Amino acid sequence: MPEAASYRKVDLHTHSICSDGRLSPTELVDLAVEQGVSLFALTDHDTLDGLSEARQRAERQPLSFINGVELSTQWKGIPLHMVVLNFEPDNPALLSIVQSNQTIRLQRARRIADLLVKQGLPDLFDDAVALAGISQLGRPHFASLMVEKGIVKDANKAFDRYLGNKRLGQLRDVWPDLESVLTCLKDQNMALILAHPKRYPLTVTKLKYLLSDFKKWGGTAMEVASGNEKPDSVRLLERLSQEYALEASMGSDFHGPFGPWTQVGKFTQVNEAGLDLVHKHW
Ligand code: AMP
Ligand code: MN
Ligand code: MN
Ligand code: MN
């Protein structure tokens, strides 16, 4: 066990109903407190909408709140996620990326619906827009509709059969390039974190090229543990964070009480000794 004095339960990667999570920002903060989390970030996909509600709730709770967002980007045509932490919500550079990604989400959803129609499914676009409502429209909304309409048994099947990156191969090059996003955000005192590095279709050799580019373009950190990552992967990522001098971040990637990322504050234990932790100043 870490020493009690230095030990804090942190969760720097979570989702609310403002993107594809199930809980409101208020419910999420309450759950984090219930789970003993004392340093917490909300990181919805491509939106800052939940931050003020979460912050207001956190102010009444024994929990420090950090502004966050998970941006969709791409590197060499591979979709990648980047968690950004510790910014002012009116940061113009960040707002412009978020707004542009929201436009891309809507256009991409139209293209996803068209691809599904070509595979014999009904046109799900209008239902997906309605289901998303004020939240950021994404593939999970299409997956829910497919389950609801009896097209697939569960969301996982929907990704396996229709929505996974391999299945949507035609939809490459939709997100902004990692280099342009990092160039736009670097040197502003934000943490620029490569999210869940083991969840991309990359060999370790390719992952190292990515980390080298990420660092070179201004990235500051990488997640070493996220959700249900296997301990072996976490050990590898701990080593890589040291090798590439990227700070270490960690979070549950909680979306709701379902799927593989099931609880706020829960992720594979990190061996913190020797790591440069992203949250050391917070
Ligand atoms: P999008 O933001 O539209 O690209 O959708 C990506 C989101 O889909 C991820 O953030 C996950 O929440 C979810 N997701 C990815 N893969 C799966 C899967 N196999 N089963 C269920 N949800 C998934
Ligand atoms: Mn998600
Ligand atoms: Mn992600
Ligand atoms: Mn996430």
Side-chain angles (χ1 to χ4, degrees):
M1 276 295 284
E3 284 174 40
S6 66
Y7 182 70
R8 281 192 302 170
K9 194 161 169 178
V10 308
D11 193 337
L12 302 174
H13 188 155
T14 66
H15 296 271
S16 77
I17 48 167
C18 295
S19 62
D20 54 357
R22 292 290 165 88
L23 303 182
S24 71
T26 299
E27 291 166 333
L28 189 57
V29 167
D30 287 354
L31 182 60
V33 172
E34 209 180 290
Q35 293 299 318
V37 173
S38 61
L39 181 66
F40 175 78
L42 172 63
T43 57
D44 273 313
H45 298 284
D46 300 316
T47 179
L48 312 183
D49 284 354
L51 298 179
S52 70
E53 181 186 323
R55 177 169 294 285
Q56 269 179 34
R57 188 66 178 183
E59 271 163 11
R60 301 175 193 186
Q61 303 273 18
L63 166 145
S64 303
F65 181 74
I66 306 287
N67 286 332
V69 64
E70 183 172 17
L71 297 177
S72 308
T73 75
Q74 65 174 332
W75 178 76
K76 297 187 191 297
I78 301 163
L80 291 185
H81 287 171
M82 203 178 115
V83 165
V84 183
L85 297 179
N86 194 40
F87 49 80
E88 295 299 328
D90 59 355
N91 181 290
L94 187 59
L95 278 176
S96 82
I97 296 169
V98 164
Q99 276 156 12
S100 159
N101 273 8
Q102 292 182 3
T103 308
I104 293 172
R105 275 188 177 275
L106 203 58
Q107 292 164 346
R108 182 183 73 142
R110 184 60 266 171
R111 291 172 65 193
I112 290 173
D114 290 343
L115 283 173
L116 296 175
V117 167
K118 280 194 190 139
Q119 293 176 63
L121 268 56
D123 185 347
L124 298 173
F125 180 76
D126 290 342
D127 285 351
V129 171
L131 179 64
I134 56 154
S135 56
Q136 283 310 307
L137 177 54
R139 289 177 286 170
H141 299 104
F142 283 96
S144 298
L145 285 173
M146 287 184 203
V147 176
E148 193 185 300
K149 292 179 189 294
I151 297 167
V152 291
K153 219 172 55 212
D154 55 38
N156 225 356
K157 276 269 171 327
F159 273 85
D160 276 359
R161 301 229 326 244
Y162 297 106
L163 298 168
N165 289 336
K166 276 194 199 132
R167 304 280 168 199
L168 293 179
Q170 300 93 322
L171 284 187
R172 284 164 80 93
D173 289 334
V174 298
W175 300 114
D177 266 317
L178 184 64
E179 181 174 10
S180 68
V181 172
L182 284 169
T183 303
C184 198
L185 298 179
K186 68 178 181 180
D187 300 330
Q188 299 187 63
N189 204 29
M190 305 174 203
L192 304 172
I193 304 162
L194 181 68
H196 42 65
K198 281 294 282 175
R199 242 189 275 157
Y200 308 120
L202 295 171
T203 59
V204 174
T205 307
K206 286 237 175 84
L207 176 57
K208 288 181 167 188
Y209 284 128
L210 166 61
L211 293 173
S212 162
D213 279 349
F214 193 75
K215 175 83 182 179
K216 180 174 74 192
W217 295 331
T220 66
M222 58 185 272
E223 286 183 342
V224 298
S226 70
N228 66 342
E229 208 79 83
K230 298 267 186 306
D232 279 357
S233 296
V234 175
R235 299 291 87 79
L236 169 70
L237 294 173
E238 288 166 353
R239 286 198 301 277
L240 291 175
S241 83
Q242 291 174 311
E243 188 178 335
Y244 289 86
L246 289 162
E247 291 170 350
S249 188
M250 58 195 84
S252 62
D253 206 359
F254 177 77
H255 285 68
F258 60 88
W261 314 291
T262 50
Q263 191 50 275
V264 178
K266 189 175 162 207
F267 46 84
T268 304
Q269 172 98 41
V270 175
N271 288 339
E272 297 188 358
L275 293 183
D276 189 12
L277 298 174
V278 72
H279 58 272
K280 65 191 168 197
H281 298 301
W282 304 332

